[in-house]
Structure formats: C-alpha cells, structure tokens
Amino acid sequence: MNELLAIGIVLAYMAIGYFLVYPRAKKVSTLRWLDLLFSALALTTAAAIFWVSDPGFWLFGYEANWVVFTLVAYVIFETPAWYWYMKAHPEQGTLAQVYGLRPASNEKLAKNIDTVMNDTKWDAIRTSRAQKLLVILGALSLVAAPLAFWFEDFIKPGYGILAVLPIFLIWWLLRISVRLVADSPDEYLDEFQVRQRDRTYLHSFRILAGVVTALAMALMIVTISSDYQSDGNVDYYKFALTFGQVNAIIWSILGSTILIPNMVLAWNQSKRNVR
C-alpha cells in the first residue's frame, strides 16, 4: 500500500509537470530547473507522509526506505516519459542540452560566460574573505556528507541526502565566485585565466590523488584486520556495510570531484585578491 502511495505521488507530480508546466518553458535551462523542482516536490511530499512512520518499502526483492524508493520510482517512470516528451517538443532543445552535456549554441554559451565574467551583483562572494569562507564551508561539507551517510541508518534514514545539498549549493557559489574560470573552454578565457585554470586542475589532481590513496589505504587496513575464510589458495573477506555507509564512500569521492577544482581556484584567487 505504501508503495502504491509513493508511486501515486510521483505520477501526480509528473502529470502536473508534463501536461501543465513543462510545455510553457521557453528555455532549456528553465526545463532543467523545473525538472529538479518537481523531483524535489515529490520527495518533499513523500517525506511529509512517511518521515515519522518510516515504513519499509519493497524494491525489487529488497527492503528500502521511503527516500530510496521515491527516487528510484521517479527515475523509472520519468526516464521514458522525459525521452518521449523531448522527442515531441524539439523546439525546447535536446536531452543533451537540457542536462548540460551540450550547450544550446556556441553563441549562448559565450553569452553566459561573458555575463558571469562581467557580473558585479555577486561581488560580495568574490572578496578574499568570502572566497576563503566558501572554501572552508566546502571542506566541511565534504566531511559532513559522508559522516551523515555513514551514521544515517543508526539515526534517521534520509539525513544523508540532506547533507549532500550543501555540496551542490557551495559548488554553485564557488563557480560564480571564480567567474566560471575552472569550467570554461580555452576560447573563452584569456592567457592568464587559461594558466590559472590549468594550474588549478594540476593541484586538484594531486588533492584527489591523496583522497583516493587515503581511501585505498583505509580499505587495505580494514581488510588486513578483518576475519577471512580460506578456500584452497583463495582468502575470502566479508565486509558488513549498510547502504548509507556505501553512500558515504561514494560521496567522499564524488563530492571531492565536484568541489575541489573550484575550491582550489577560489583559494588561490583569495590569496591574490583577484576579483
């Protein structure tokens, strides 16, 4: 019964979006934000109903909580619907354009980058102090999100997802703070910005290499200290991890990949007071 209710929530928001809201969108970026909004609304509605009771949901033979079930249901139902919608509305762009895999046009990309490069309304987050603060907040979010996932099964399922949201908010603020330099192609940057971006990715690679190395060493230590069973010449290890703890490991790497390049660039700019 709970499964049907969650699916009903998903289908209701999809119906509102596809039949009433999405056709009114005039920009590719608007479609992207609307899709995110309706996904969040479906998850919020499910939270309002299931947060307190926290029932179990049957999901392909496994028991899942309401967060996982709602997200999986949304993806399953929306994937074909989204595909056919975009096929039926070519004037609104392609799937690649909607998800940022390809710009709607080179002219539009150039205009967007130029707008951010010459923007002044966000100068408050481009000061040396603000950039350092964003970097510190980014570092804290990279610690908080994995910790929230690691312990969420013992506290309250769903906290991990909430802890991930600051990562994307800080990522967006950092991109605006550094004027998209870390993400822009060569042709939209001057020579100084290209060198700055390239140095950023060199330092980011070193930091990410350190993160991955630390995780690999931790795995090795856990493996060595764990019990195992031998079958002939093969040793079998058993690890007991919850779904949240698996997500903690994933977000340790994924969160670092998302944030570190812009964090490094923002920190370097803060020391030079580059605006």
Side-chain angles (χ1 to χ4, degrees):
M1 182 62 184
N2 289 324
E3 289 84 357
L4 293 177
L5 180 56
I7 291 173
I9 293 170
V10 169
L11 293 178
Y13 278 109
M14 285 179 58
I16 295 172
Y18 284 106
F19 292 111
L20 300 178
V21 180
Y22 293 172
R24 299 176 182 272
K26 296 181 179 180
K27 297 181 180 179
V28 168
S29 58
T30 304
L31 270 179
R32 187 162 52 237
W33 284 110
L34 286 173
D35 182 47
L36 179 62
L37 173 63
F38 276 91
S39 302
L41 287 173
L43 194 61
T44 302
T45 304
I49 297 173
F50 302 120
W51 181 279
V52 177
S53 59
D54 194 22
F57 289 80
W58 183 90
L59 183 64
F60 304 121
Y62 297 92
E63 184 175 335
N65 60 30
W66 61 269
V67 178
V68 175
F69 185 88
T70 304
L71 289 175
V72 171
Y74 208 97
V75 170
I76 290 175
F77 285 106
E78 192 184 37
T79 299
W82 193 235
Y83 173 78
W84 289 111
Y85 175 84
M86 296 306 297
K87 292 281 286 185
H89 296 79
E91 73 281 359
Q92 290 185 313
T94 65
L95 286 171
Q97 291 168 359
V98 168
Y99 289 109
L101 302 178
R102 188 176 72 226
S105 65
N106 290 334
E107 293 79 9
K108 185 173 182 179
L109 176 62
K111 182 179 179 181
N112 290 341
I113 293 176
D114 186 64
T115 298
V116 177
M117 288 290 183
N118 297 287
D119 167 72
T120 57
K121 66 180 180 180
W122 291 97
D123 281 353
I125 61 173
R126 295 187 177 112
T127 64
S128 177
R129 180 175 298 179
Q131 287 183 319
K132 288 180 179 178
L133 178 60
L134 284 174
V135 172
I136 293 171
L137 291 175
L140 290 175
S141 69
L142 291 179
V143 175
L147 284 177
F149 270 119
W150 191 269
F151 294 108
E152 73 165 353
D153 292 311
F154 307 104
I155 304 173
K156 186 74 173 180
Y159 283 143
I161 293 293
L162 297 178
V164 166
L165 297 179
I167 290 179
F168 290 98
L169 175 60
I170 295 169
W171 168 77
W172 183 79
L173 290 173
L174 282 168
R175 292 179 79 238
I176 299 299
S177 176
V178 300
R179 298 186 185 276
L180 303 181
V181 170
D183 303 310
S184 298
D186 288 358
E187 56 266 29
Y188 301 108
L189 304 174
D190 59 32
E191 292 182 1
F192 172 75
Q193 290 171 329
V194 170
R195 291 196 303 271
Q196 193 179 42
R197 184 203 60 193
D198 292 345
R199 284 197 303 270
T200 293
Y201 277 97
L202 173 62
H203 296 316
S204 299
F205 171 78
R206 291 171 176 170
I207 295 172
L208 286 170
V211 171
V212 174
T213 301
L215 290 173
M217 292 178 64
L219 176 61
M220 179 61 70
I221 293 172
V222 170
T223 302
I224 293 174
S225 60
S226 299
D227 295 330
Y228 64 90
Q229 293 180 343
S230 296
D231 184 4
N233 295 324
V234 181
D235 296 332
Y236 293 93
Y237 291 85
K238 292 184 178 180
F239 298 98
L241 292 175
T242 66
F243 180 75
Q245 290 170 342
V246 172
N247 272 290
I249 298 172
I250 292 173
W251 279 101
S252 296
I253 300 173
L254 186 58
S256 299
T257 304
I258 292 170
L259 276 183
I260 284 178
N262 284 293
M263 287 173 59
V264 171
L265 182 55
W267 187 262
N268 289 337
Q269 286 189 356
S270 71
K271 292 190 293 184
R272 298 186 179 93
N273 199 25
V274 176
R275 296 172 65 90

